[in-house]
């Protein structure tokens, strides 16, 4: 059986779409369709059910993918191993949320881009979880960091770390509501007079915090909306209002007293970050090395 046909088949099976598989393989969609039809004729059985959006594997298709995919991944690993010695042939394309990627991931990965001959070139891009995962699925990125665990067979996710969210404001606002103990006395109503600084009009971080800690919704609308958590911190430090931020991002400001934690719940809200790759690409040494390096670095981030 032609290995090229099997490679195309496994890619379609993982992608769930002839169009997406064609983009990943660098082929035209008609070429992918023709190869799948050829393989189906050779086997005498249909491998996919065509639908309005993508394809669904038949029982035979699932069985063939289960048998063939590990062996194809092993062949890729063998082929890629020979290129590992020449780092100039390797560029890692990383994508993730701007703040976490800039503050956590990139400083860790730059150790792998040194002059020891064992590194690789690094290219990074920022985006929302939806944009990042779509770009990874389309072949634009090699490795993604996401707060959303992807579904389907095309992408494979590994939990990387949890981040604790902290409710903060400038000392001036804490004094105005009666100190950081005001929440213990009056509950979230003590915060209603404080403006909110957020990254979106829907108040995603504040709303998640209120739901998890107070079992309610925030009352105050967003007064300052900026698209970057670092800008949120700067505005909160300047006294624009309260904000909910990951502790790693505001830890320095808390230590300096630029901002204060308005509340310290017994169980703080957490958000999980995932390392995501296209299934099978960890057979490529530069992706596997970056993946492993980030996992090791994350052990010191908590």
């Amino acid at each position: 059986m032609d290995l090229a046909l099997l490679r195309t088949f496994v890619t379609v099976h993982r992608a769930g779409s002839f169009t997406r598989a064609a983009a990943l393989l660098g082929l035209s969609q008609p070429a992918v369709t023709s190869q799948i039809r050829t393989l189906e004729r050779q086997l005498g059985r249909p491998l996919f059910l065509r639908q309005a959006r993508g394809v669904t594997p038949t029982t035979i298709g699932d069985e063939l993918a289960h048998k063939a995919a590990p062996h194809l991944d092993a062949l890729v690993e063998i082929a890629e191993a020979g290129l590992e010695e020449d780092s100039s042939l390797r560029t890692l394309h990383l994508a993730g949320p701007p703040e976490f990627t800039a503050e956590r991931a990139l400083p860790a990965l730059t150790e792998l881009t040194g002059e020891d001959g064992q590194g690789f070139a690094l290219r990074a891009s920022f985006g929302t979880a939806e944009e990042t995962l779509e770009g990874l699925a389309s072949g634009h990125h090699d490795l993604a960091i996401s707060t959303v665990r992807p579904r389907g067979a095309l992408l494979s996710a590994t939990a990387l770390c949890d981040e604790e969210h902290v409710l903060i404001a400038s000392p001036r606002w804490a004094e105005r509501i009666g100190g950081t103990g005001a929440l213990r006395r009056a509950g979230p109503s003590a915060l209603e007079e404080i403006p909110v600084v957020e990254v979106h009009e829907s108040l995603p971080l504040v709303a998640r915090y209120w739901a998890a800690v107070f079992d309610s919704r925030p009352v105050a609308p967003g007064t300052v909306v900026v698209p970057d958590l670092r800008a949120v911190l700067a505005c909160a430090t300047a006294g624009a209002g309260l904000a909910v931020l990951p502790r790693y991002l505001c830890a320095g400001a808390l230590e300096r007293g630029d901002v204060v934690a308005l509340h310290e719940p017994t169980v703080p809200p957490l958000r999980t970050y995932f390392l995501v790759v296209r299934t099978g690409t960890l057979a490529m040494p530069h992706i596997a090395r970056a993946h492993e390096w980030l996992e090791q670095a994350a052990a010191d981030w908590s």
Side-chain angles (χ1 to χ4, degrees), residues 66 77 98 136 148 162 168 175 203-204 275 278 280:
H66 179 72
E77 185 172 5
L136 179 65
V148 175
D162 292 328
I168 65 162
E175 293 174 3
L203 310 183
L275 275 181
R278 287 187 303 282

Side-chain angles (χ1 to χ4, degrees), residues 165-168 188 191-192 194-225 229 232 236 241-246 262 269 271:
H165 282 184
V166 188
L167 176 61
I168 65 162
L191 303 173
E192 292 179 4
I194 307 181
V196 174
V197 186
E198 257 282 14
V199 292
H200 192 271
E201 297 288 351
S202 63
L203 310 183
L205 299 178
V206 171
R208 186 182 298 115
Y209 189 97
W210 253 244
V213 176
F214 305 129
D215 194 23
S216 65
R217 295 180 180 179
V219 175
T223 300
V224 178
V225 177
L229 292 178
V232 169
L242 66 79
V244 172
L245 290 172
L262 297 178
R271 182 166 63 172

Side-chain angles (χ1 to χ4, degrees), residues 93-288:
H93 294 270
L94 173 72
E99 306 86 4
F100 186 88
T101 305
E103 299 289 331
R104 293 295 206 192
L106 288 177
L109 288 178
T110 50
E111 296 185 40
L112 296 179
T113 62
E115 299 178 357
D116 60 356
Q118 299 300 315
F120 47 72
L122 178 62
R123 302 290 183 270
S125 60
F126 302 146
T128 64
E130 181 179 355
E131 294 167 344
T132 296
L133 294 179
E134 179 61 31
L136 179 65
S138 300
H140 299 302
H141 316 310
D142 300 314
L143 181 63
I145 300 170
S146 173
T147 55
V148 175
R149 182 188 289 273
R151 297 180 179 180
L154 178 60
L155 302 180
S156 176
T158 302
L160 178 63
C161 65
D162 292 328
E163 66 172 15
E164 176 190 345
H165 282 184
V166 188
L167 176 61
I168 65 162
S170 67
R172 176 175 66 85
W173 278 112
E175 293 174 3
R176 183 168 175 175
I177 65 172
T180 56
L183 280 176
R184 291 193 297 271
R185 297 189 298 270
S189 61
L191 303 173
E192 292 179 4
E193 65 176 283
I194 307 181
V196 174
V197 186
E198 257 282 14
V199 292
H200 192 271
E201 297 288 351
S202 63
L203 310 183
L205 299 178
V206 171
R208 186 182 298 115
Y209 189 97
W210 253 244
V213 176
F214 305 129
D215 194 23
S216 65
R217 295 180 180 179
V219 175
T223 300
V224 178
V225 177
V226 290
D228 189 291
L229 292 178
R230 291 162 293 192
V232 169
L233 176 59
C235 291
T237 300
L242 66 79
V244 172
L245 290 172
R247 186 173 289 277
Y248 79 84
L249 194 61
C250 61
L254 287 168
E255 291 176 4
R256 293 188 300 270
D258 297 338
V259 295
V260 296
L262 297 178
H263 189 43
E264 294 285 357
T266 303
V267 181
L270 300 176
R271 182 166 63 172
T272 301
Y273 282 96
F274 299 94
L275 275 181
V276 190
V277 296
R278 287 187 303 282
T279 303
T281 57
L282 284 179
M284 299 181 179
H286 69 303
I287 298 178

